[in-house]
Amino acid sequence: MAHAIVSGASSGIGEAIVIELLAQGWQGTGLSRSPVARGDARFCSVQVDSSARATAPSCAA
């Protein structure tokens, strides 16, 4: 199964991309400053602020 990592997954274009990818059967990891609850086991939300040095490394872990 394909897996996508989407930044800005909590709203706007990022959220729309996550919704579409899940509809197409993908798994996904969403990166955003706000936690995202999708109610889909194929989606994992990672709360991160990529502009903050303290949290940016957690994006790559």
Side-chain angles (χ1 to χ4, degrees):
M1 184 178 306
H3 190 108
I5 298 173
V6 180
S7 64
S10 63
S11 64
I13 294 171
E15 181 181 31
I17 290 170
V18 167
I19 291 168
E20 182 60 28
L21 289 172
L22 291 173
Q24 292 182 21
W26 287 59
Q27 291 182 341
T29 299
L31 306 177
S32 58
R33 290 180 290 183
S34 304
V36 178
R38 283 251 104 8
D40 190 320
R42 296 171 298 149
F43 179 77
C44 174
S45 175
V46 178
Q47 189 174 359
V48 61
D49 183 350
S50 61
S51 68
R53 287 186 183 263
T55 60
S58 67
C59 293

